[in-house]
Amino acid sequence: MDDTVLLSILVLGGIAAVSAIVLFWTSRRFAVTEDLKILQIDSVLPQGNCGGCSYAGCHEFARACAAVEESGFAALNCPVGGQTVMDKIAEIRGFAKIEKKPTVAVLRCNGTCQNAPLKVQYEGISSCRIAARISSGQTGCPTGCLRLGDCVKNCRFGALSINPETNIPTVDYDKCTACGACVRTCPRGLFELRFRAPDKQMLYVACRNTQKGAVARKNCKAACIACLKCTKLNPEIKVENNLSYIPDTISAAACGAELQAACPTGAIVYKGAQKA
Amino acid sequence: MLKITTAPHLQTSQDIRGIMRDVLIALLPAAAAGVLVFGINALVVVLTSVAACAAVEYAANRWWFKKGNTVTDLSALVTGMLLGFNLPSSMPLWMILIGAFAAIVPAKLCYGGLGKNIFNPALVGRVFLFISFPVQMTHWPIPQFMHIFNFDAQTAATPLNILKHLKQGSQAVLPSISDMFLGNTGGCIGEVSVLALLFGFGWLLWRRIISWRIPIFYVGTVFAVTGVLWLITGDIRYHPVIHVFSGGLMLGAIFMATDYATSPMTMRGQLIFAVGCGILTAVIRLCGTYPEGVSFAILIMNAFVPLIDKFVEPRYYGQRR
Amino acid sequence: MSKIKTFPIGGIHPDKHKITTDSPVVFAGLPEVVTIPVKQHIGAPAKILVKPGDKVKVGTLIADADGIVSSDVHSSVSGEVVKVEAVEGGVGYVEDMITVKVEGDEFEPSIDRSPNISREIPFSADQIVAKIREGGIVGMGGAGYPTPVKTTVPEGKKIDTLILNGIECEPFLTADDRLMTEKSEQLVIGAKLLNKALGIQNAIIAVDENKPQAIAALEAVTKTYVGVNVQVCATKYPQGGEKQLITAITGREVPSGRLPADAGCLVQNVGTVFAIYEMVMKNKPLFERIVTVSGDACLHPANYLVRIGTPVSWLIEQAGGLTPETSQVVLGGPMMGTAAFNINAPITKLTSGVLLLSDNLVARRPEAECIRCGKCVAACPMGLQPYLIGWLMHDHRIDELKNTHVLDCIECGCCAYTCPAHIPLLDYCKLSKMELRKKN
């Protein structure tokens, strides 16, 4: 009986000792030494791993931030964390704080089911990329929204949804973090990250069709027809390739309502201040 | 308005429901044979099992998993039919309900439904019953061909039972090979008639539901393993023809090992799976305590299917010059 | 007749629907206007040589090849150029096209319109390739790869087998079948021309088993031509795929990501070979082709000889018009063709068929969950695992997709056809290829 107890203690104790040695050795052998700054920066990042900074996840971005010189710091941005997070990182690195403009994604297409009726019916997998490959889309506009929601599926912040009344996506600007996933996803490149002024007003041309006005209008009532009316009101607006573009330096509050009223097709979208 | 879709613009007319319907049709000859051999009791057992599986799937999906009705794809009916086939005709009906529950809920729906289960649901139900109620599950009513309304409580041993308890060198009292082929032996309802099961096999092949690989390689492996031992020892316990024609081997090889969800996807994987099933069956039959090993062999190999699918790749085009 | 050959991996047997096998090829006639795209091939669009107001004849060069991988475009009618601008094509995207208003039917004087068959080959290899280039000939099986580029053997490669692809494994289509039946001797002379261009002595015409008329016609002709043989192949889809055909005939496999020339083979569609004969021997550039107009919703299915640029809608009118039950117009075959967005688009050098299909055939069946039946794995002629590709793509596991060899996918659609759960597996394969190409 005594032998059994002794044997058990010896065997189990031996296993424990061997395991301890192996553990000790492996922890030494495979120890990872990492810059403390990376951990510090990582801890202030949002940890959404959205890729909006163009790095593969928050940890990679933290490494980039820890490695960068002060001169290159301005090129780095965490769009999700925004000003507060970048300020914290600047503090950790001892750099001067850099002012970043808050941006949101806008959909540069107004091809709603009212403006651009269906010409053919698409059946099959719900993927804009596939639909764009086999046709110009159900509406016929070769640059318009395909309405199958690749952007919605790729938005990690729930800021995008297909509006059941218009069948095209709408952006919830308050949820949008400007991570850029939709910009990279849309096969037609319809999303643009634009400055969002503190008054929360937005003004942009919701069209990317570069066809001649008459051709574009055949497919969509809200297409930009390059009538140049907007350029007469504000010379900063440029029309190239039959398409008008409003730079986001133009204040929406100052001339948004005027421009929207002037546009004959409704391609210019002005979203006024939200009622508090 | 014209429609646009991606190529291919044509699709097969086969669908899941049609496949399951074909499997049910393929099972009918064996069911008829079971009823002919074991009487009306066999019919009651099979119908109870089918009804129970369908009811359990419907109820569990509706009130527990909150999913749509999946009974219409008929897979629950196939499970029920196979479970019934794996029971003796004297099985108490309330036990069948328990078996149906074990087959449908833990073995199928908990994994996510048809196509996602790892283990063959009917076999899980059978093994669950086998372990829970060993007496009832090994109570084999005597085969009485064409005496459909005879409720005799007499029992008979199955051929494999006889072989298992055979003393070295003594003379065996076995049913004839032709009786085993036609089904006039003791055993579970669906497994007794090899002839009826082969009819079902032919139907499945003709309808292109299954390929010949798994059944042939499974049965072939059992035949080869027992055959080699028989040639070496000359012992009737290893007689390959008896092993192939008795027990649940044919039922298992044709209907259970070929179950889509629980067998490998690639041709090479299917060969490995079938040979593995065959070796395990032979080992359990010859060396184990149970006389029969088909259910355990298939369930054990089911567990290896994800591994086989991960590591056994098909031959890609372009590897040969 | 030698043994029937086929490829070893995968394949499916869809319903054949070869309604027009016995309909002789008839000339479709001349529409009022034709719209000729300047890009009907892989590579750079051709440079436009004409402007509105110019008069052209049948066979006049109207757009010139821009670079090596490009192709000439010839006028298919005589008349006046009315527009040179971007027009909506078959799938809805705009392309540059030349619109010609038809006036009469006057051919370029250089074209030999006599019905005699020219059998003597007075040209050298270089002359033949140059003529093919002048004729604007492209691969007419559907890929549209410029033929002169294909017939120029790359440095360091050696081609020992010329295969004429007379396999029409797509359901409904019979254009190649009729061509082989009616123009068998011209085809064989075309094969001899290619032989001379490549510097080899023999050619194999592959025909699938379900074309007894074509096989009989070709075998009668090949008796008098040394080195040209007919090889009957099994009726199986995709037997006409280039890689599958090479494997069936020679037993060799084209290594992943390489060209057929790496397996010592050159495969040419029979339509292309006929066009080569016509250009080299008769000076007739590629301006017309045989098009099968068929489908279960088509009133008068037929095989038409159609001038390139003829509007699809005009051709449909000739075959009885667009019936109300038509739910889809497919350009090409039903397995790999494209659904037409705009039926006013023109017939191009690559349009082998115009199919009017009803909902009975093309309605997408409801998608169910995968039941792991393995039918897609068994059907894939490239030996891929489509279910796995679909599953990884659905879950967006792009890194793991690299190990699935999905870039070898030939997009034949066997997986999507055969899936009893009706999962759009081919769409997932296409998405995977796009993802992987994007990453690299």
Short mmCIF file of all heavy atoms in Angstrom, two decimals, chain C residues 347-368:
data_model
loop_
_atom_site.label_atom_id
_atom_site.label_comp_id
_atom_site.label_asym_id
_atom_site.label_seq_id
_atom_site.Cartn_x
_atom_site.Cartn_y
_atom_site.Cartn_z
N ILE C 347 -24.74 40.71 -84.04
CA ILE C 347 -24.06 39.43 -84.08
C ILE C 347 -22.57 39.72 -84.31
O ILE C 347 -22.23 40.54 -85.16
CB ILE C 347 -24.59 38.58 -85.26
CG1 ILE C 347 -26.08 38.30 -85.11
CG2 ILE C 347 -23.78 37.32 -85.46
CD1 ILE C 347 -26.43 37.25 -84.12
N THR C 348 -21.70 39.09 -83.54
CA THR C 348 -20.27 39.30 -83.74
C THR C 348 -19.64 38.04 -84.30
O THR C 348 -20.31 37.04 -84.52
CB THR C 348 -19.57 39.68 -82.43
OG1 THR C 348 -19.57 38.54 -81.59
CG2 THR C 348 -20.28 40.82 -81.73
N LYS C 349 -18.32 38.10 -84.49
CA LYS C 349 -17.60 36.93 -84.98
C LYS C 349 -17.72 35.75 -84.01
O LYS C 349 -17.43 34.62 -84.37
CB LYS C 349 -16.12 37.27 -85.16
CG LYS C 349 -15.83 38.28 -86.26
CD LYS C 349 -14.37 38.69 -86.25
CE LYS C 349 -14.11 39.79 -87.28
NZ LYS C 349 -12.73 40.32 -87.18
N LEU C 350 -18.07 36.03 -82.76
CA LEU C 350 -18.05 34.99 -81.74
C LEU C 350 -19.44 34.44 -81.41
O LEU C 350 -19.57 33.53 -80.60
CB LEU C 350 -17.45 35.55 -80.44
CG LEU C 350 -16.16 36.32 -80.62
CD1 LEU C 350 -15.65 36.78 -79.28
CD2 LEU C 350 -15.12 35.45 -81.31
N THR C 351 -20.49 34.99 -82.01
CA THR C 351 -21.83 34.56 -81.65
C THR C 351 -22.17 33.27 -82.40
O THR C 351 -22.46 33.29 -83.58
CB THR C 351 -22.85 35.65 -82.02
OG1 THR C 351 -22.34 36.91 -81.61
CG2 THR C 351 -24.17 35.40 -81.34
N SER C 352 -22.13 32.15 -81.69
CA SER C 352 -22.40 30.88 -82.36
C SER C 352 -23.88 30.55 -82.33
O SER C 352 -24.34 29.70 -83.07
CB SER C 352 -21.61 29.76 -81.69
OG SER C 352 -21.75 29.84 -80.31
N GLY C 353 -24.62 31.20 -81.45
CA GLY C 353 -26.04 30.88 -81.38
C GLY C 353 -26.82 32.02 -80.76
O GLY C 353 -26.29 32.84 -80.02
N VAL C 354 -28.09 32.07 -81.11
CA VAL C 354 -29.03 32.98 -80.45
C VAL C 354 -30.16 32.09 -79.96
O VAL C 354 -30.85 31.45 -80.76
CB VAL C 354 -29.57 34.05 -81.42
CG1 VAL C 354 -30.65 34.87 -80.75
CG2 VAL C 354 -28.46 34.94 -81.91
N LEU C 355 -30.28 31.96 -78.65
CA LEU C 355 -31.24 31.02 -78.10
C LEU C 355 -32.35 31.75 -77.36
O LEU C 355 -32.09 32.61 -76.51
CB LEU C 355 -30.54 30.05 -77.13
CG LEU C 355 -29.34 29.30 -77.70
CD1 LEU C 355 -28.74 28.41 -76.64
CD2 LEU C 355 -29.74 28.48 -78.91
N LEU C 356 -33.58 31.42 -77.71
CA LEU C 356 -34.73 31.98 -77.01
C LEU C 356 -35.21 30.92 -76.03
O LEU C 356 -35.76 29.90 -76.43
CB LEU C 356 -35.84 32.34 -78.00
CG LEU C 356 -35.69 33.66 -78.78
CD1 LEU C 356 -34.48 33.64 -79.68
CD2 LEU C 356 -36.93 33.96 -79.57
N LEU C 357 -34.98 31.16 -74.77
CA LEU C 357 -35.28 30.13 -73.77
C LEU C 357 -36.43 30.59 -72.88
O LEU C 357 -36.53 31.76 -72.52
CB LEU C 357 -34.04 29.84 -72.93
CG LEU C 357 -32.80 29.40 -73.73
CD1 LEU C 357 -31.62 29.22 -72.81
CD2 LEU C 357 -33.08 28.13 -74.50
N SER C 358 -37.27 29.64 -72.54
CA SER C 358 -38.41 29.97 -71.69
C SER C 358 -38.07 29.65 -70.24
O SER C 358 -37.05 29.06 -69.94
CB SER C 358 -39.63 29.16 -72.12
OG SER C 358 -39.48 27.84 -71.66
N ASP C 359 -38.99 30.03 -69.38
CA ASP C 359 -38.79 29.80 -67.95
C ASP C 359 -38.69 28.32 -67.60
O ASP C 359 -38.12 27.96 -66.58
CB ASP C 359 -39.92 30.44 -67.14
CG ASP C 359 -39.49 31.78 -66.58
OD1 ASP C 359 -38.27 31.99 -66.47
OD2 ASP C 359 -40.36 32.60 -66.24
N ASN C 360 -39.25 27.45 -68.45
CA ASN C 360 -39.14 26.01 -68.18
C ASN C 360 -37.69 25.59 -68.05
O ASN C 360 -37.35 24.67 -67.31
CB ASN C 360 -39.76 25.20 -69.32
CG ASN C 360 -41.24 25.44 -69.40
OD1 ASN C 360 -41.85 25.82 -68.40
ND2 ASN C 360 -41.81 25.26 -70.58
N LEU C 361 -36.83 26.23 -68.84
CA LEU C 361 -35.42 25.85 -68.82
C LEU C 361 -34.58 26.74 -67.95
O LEU C 361 -33.68 26.27 -67.25
CB LEU C 361 -34.85 25.87 -70.25
CG LEU C 361 -35.30 24.76 -71.18
CD1 LEU C 361 -34.70 24.96 -72.55
CD2 LEU C 361 -34.89 23.41 -70.63
N VAL C 362 -34.79 28.04 -68.00
CA VAL C 362 -33.83 28.93 -67.37
C VAL C 362 -34.24 29.46 -66.01
O VAL C 362 -33.43 30.11 -65.36
CB VAL C 362 -33.49 30.13 -68.28
CG1 VAL C 362 -32.77 29.67 -69.51
CG2 VAL C 362 -34.71 30.94 -68.62
N ALA C 363 -35.46 29.17 -65.56
CA ALA C 363 -35.85 29.70 -64.25
C ALA C 363 -34.89 29.15 -63.20
O ALA C 363 -34.61 27.96 -63.16
CB ALA C 363 -37.28 29.29 -63.92
N ARG C 364 -34.35 30.04 -62.40
CA ARG C 364 -33.45 29.60 -61.32
C ARG C 364 -34.27 28.89 -60.26
O ARG C 364 -35.24 29.44 -59.75
CB ARG C 364 -32.78 30.83 -60.70
CG ARG C 364 -31.71 31.39 -61.57
CD ARG C 364 -30.37 30.98 -61.05
NE ARG C 364 -29.32 31.34 -61.98
CZ ARG C 364 -28.06 31.46 -61.63
NH1 ARG C 364 -27.69 31.26 -60.38
NH2 ARG C 364 -27.15 31.76 -62.50
N ARG C 365 -33.87 27.69 -59.93
CA ARG C 365 -34.59 26.96 -58.88
C ARG C 365 -34.13 27.46 -57.52
O ARG C 365 -33.01 27.94 -57.38
CB ARG C 365 -34.31 25.48 -59.02
CG ARG C 365 -34.98 24.89 -60.24
CD ARG C 365 -34.58 23.45 -60.41
NE ARG C 365 -34.08 23.23 -61.76
CZ ARG C 365 -34.84 22.95 -62.80
NH1 ARG C 365 -36.13 22.85 -62.67
NH2 ARG C 365 -34.33 22.77 -63.99
N PRO C 366 -35.01 27.36 -56.52
CA PRO C 366 -34.64 27.90 -55.21
C PRO C 366 -33.39 27.23 -54.65
O PRO C 366 -33.21 26.02 -54.76
CB PRO C 366 -35.87 27.63 -54.35
CG PRO C 366 -36.67 26.64 -55.11
CD PRO C 366 -36.36 26.82 -56.54
N GLU C 367 -32.56 28.05 -54.05
CA GLU C 367 -31.29 27.55 -53.53
C GLU C 367 -31.51 26.89 -52.17
O GLU C 367 -32.26 27.40 -51.34
CB GLU C 367 -30.36 28.76 -53.39
CG GLU C 367 -28.92 28.42 -53.28
CD GLU C 367 -28.08 29.68 -53.14
OE1 GLU C 367 -28.42 30.70 -53.76
OE2 GLU C 367 -27.10 29.63 -52.38
N ALA C 368 -30.89 25.75 -51.96
CA ALA C 368 -30.99 25.07 -50.67
C ALA C 368 -29.59 24.96 -50.07
O ALA C 368 -28.62 25.41 -50.66
CB ALA C 368 -31.62 23.69 -50.84
#
